[in-house]
Amino acid sequence: MEAAATTCYRHPSTEAHVRCTRCDRRICPDCMREASVGHQCVECVKEGQRSVRRPRTVFGGAVSRAAAPVVTYVLMALNVLVYLGEVVRPEIVDRFAVLGAALTGPDGEQYYYRGDTFQGYELTGVADGEWYRLVTGAFLHLPPDASFGVMHLLFNMFALWNIGRAVEGQLGRARYLALYLLSAVGGSVLVYLLAPDTSTVGASGAVFGLAAAYWVIHRRLGHDMAAVNRFMAGFLIWMVLSALFTSWQGHLGGLLTGALVTYGLAYAPAKLRTGPLQLAGGAVLLGLFAVAVVVKTSALTG
């Protein structure tokens, strides 16, 4: 009597003489996936991949040696595209720059605000509810006809390209983007608190936040700090010198925010180094920023 032919459980019309080492079902050559011992079927391989924990850095980011720094490149592209928009429409700078409080007159010009409003003059800035400026200003740069001009953009993008790739590789894309945006907002908030009548633009606050993160990361990983300290000293010197023509408040605010956020990611107890808790920590920091803005607005507007 002839034995019945065995067939693949996924392809009933195909004979199969090999069993999956995990589920023991018969599989054809198209369904075979090589395993450490024997072969497994497609479904068992997928199930095994779901049960394997992906390696993580000490900061919670996924380890991926081959991953490109996509977020860094996207941020650079956004800054360049916005700058091209400035060239075409220069009024974008006045509309979206970080500005605490100013009076916009009938002629469209902006004047200092000292707590009083006048007929035909409107309050403009964060104090008037334009909170979006705390973010949008970080994607603008000095226009080409300014003293520093396009060099403002080029310097920030060069620093972002150099530092951002290293920081993104350690933190992972989501944490890195959160760090960048929080540093940008932190810089803008300090500008609002200390120089509310100054219009500022630039990614410098976010870049200084990344520089602080770069330093904390190397310290946490136990690397030789000599070169890193020299690098950081150069950034601090630049912050002092650039105060002559850029916003030192934005630089300092970004630096302090980046250091605080990365320190929390690096030195928090392991049980607190989870995505939901880190997200909650970022929300708390945003809440503190919001409280500071509300208090300052109250002081400015009475």
Side-chain angles (χ1 to χ4, degrees), residues 28-114:
C28 67
D30 289 340
C31 297
M32 291 181 188
R33 299 295 183 267
E34 188 173 354
S36 56
V37 178
H39 295 82
Q40 292 184 4
C41 66
V42 177
E43 292 182 4
C44 286
V45 170
K46 290 181 179 178
E47 182 64 29
Q49 290 174 343
R50 283 196 294 267
S51 63
V52 175
R53 292 186 61 186
R54 296 183 63 186
R56 298 272 175 179
T57 68
V58 296
F59 313 99
V63 175
S64 181
R65 297 178 181 178
V70 174
V71 177
T72 297
Y73 295 151
V74 169
L75 289 171
M76 292 176 65
L78 284 175
N79 278 277
V80 172
L81 287 174
V82 171
Y83 194 76
L84 294 177
E86 290 180 43
V87 175
V88 177
R89 302 286 297 273
E91 62 270 20
I92 289 177
V93 176
D94 288 338
R95 185 68 184 83
F96 294 100
V98 178
L99 176 63
L103 291 177
T104 301
D107 54 0
E109 295 295 324
Q110 292 181 345
Y111 300 89
Y112 287 113
Y113 172 73
R114 291 293 180 265

Side-chain angles (χ1 to χ4, degrees), residues 251-264:
H251 294 176
L252 180 60
L255 184 79
L256 295 176
T257 303
L260 177 63
V261 171
T262 312
Y263 189 88

Side-chain angles (χ1 to χ4, degrees), residues 152-175:
H152 188 210
L153 172 71
L154 294 178
F155 179 85
N156 280 336
M157 293 305 99
F158 180 72
L160 175 57
W161 181 72
N162 274 288
I163 306 170
R165 294 177 298 162
V167 175
E168 183 177 350
Q170 287 294 333
L171 299 186
R173 292 171 180 170
R175 290 168 178 79

Side-chain angles (χ1 to χ4, degrees), residues 64-245:
S64 181
R65 297 178 181 178
V70 174
V71 177
T72 297
Y73 295 151
V74 169
L75 289 171
M76 292 176 65
L78 284 175
N79 278 277
V80 172
L81 287 174
V82 171
Y83 194 76
L84 294 177
E86 290 180 43
V87 175
V88 177
R89 302 286 297 273
E91 62 270 20
I92 289 177
V93 176
D94 288 338
R95 185 68 184 83
F96 294 100
V98 178
L99 176 63
L103 291 177
T104 301
D107 54 0
E109 295 295 324
Q110 292 181 345
Y111 300 89
Y112 287 113
Y113 172 73
R114 291 293 180 265
D116 297 318
T117 56
F118 305 94
Q119 184 82 22
Y121 290 79
E122 296 182 355
L123 181 60
T124 302
V126 178
D128 192 44
E130 298 175 346
W131 286 41
Y132 58 84
R133 289 176 178 268
L134 299 173
V135 178
T136 56
F139 290 91
L140 298 168
H141 288 83
L142 294 174
D145 58 351
S147 58
F148 198 33
V150 71
M151 292 302 298
H152 188 210
L153 172 71
L154 294 178
F155 179 85
N156 280 336
M157 293 305 99
F158 180 72
L160 175 57
W161 181 72
N162 274 288
I163 306 170
R165 294 177 298 162
V167 175
E168 183 177 350
Q170 287 294 333
L171 299 186
R173 292 171 180 170
R175 290 168 178 79
Y176 169 72
L177 179 60
L179 168 70
Y180 184 93
L181 295 176
L182 285 171
S183 298
V185 173
S188 298
V189 168
L190 194 62
V191 170
Y192 182 50
L193 296 179
L194 300 182
D197 53 3
T198 302
S199 177
T200 63
V201 293
S204 304
V207 169
F208 269 81
L210 296 184
Y214 183 78
W215 187 88
V216 174
I217 286 171
H218 279 275
R219 184 176 180 82
R220 176 65 177 84
L221 296 177
H223 294 166
D224 181 9
M225 295 299 293
V228 180
N229 287 336
R230 288 194 296 270
F231 163 81
M232 203 63 203
F235 252 82
L236 294 176
I237 292 173
W238 166 248
M239 183 172 68
V240 174
L241 295 178
S242 65
L244 299 174
F245 48 89

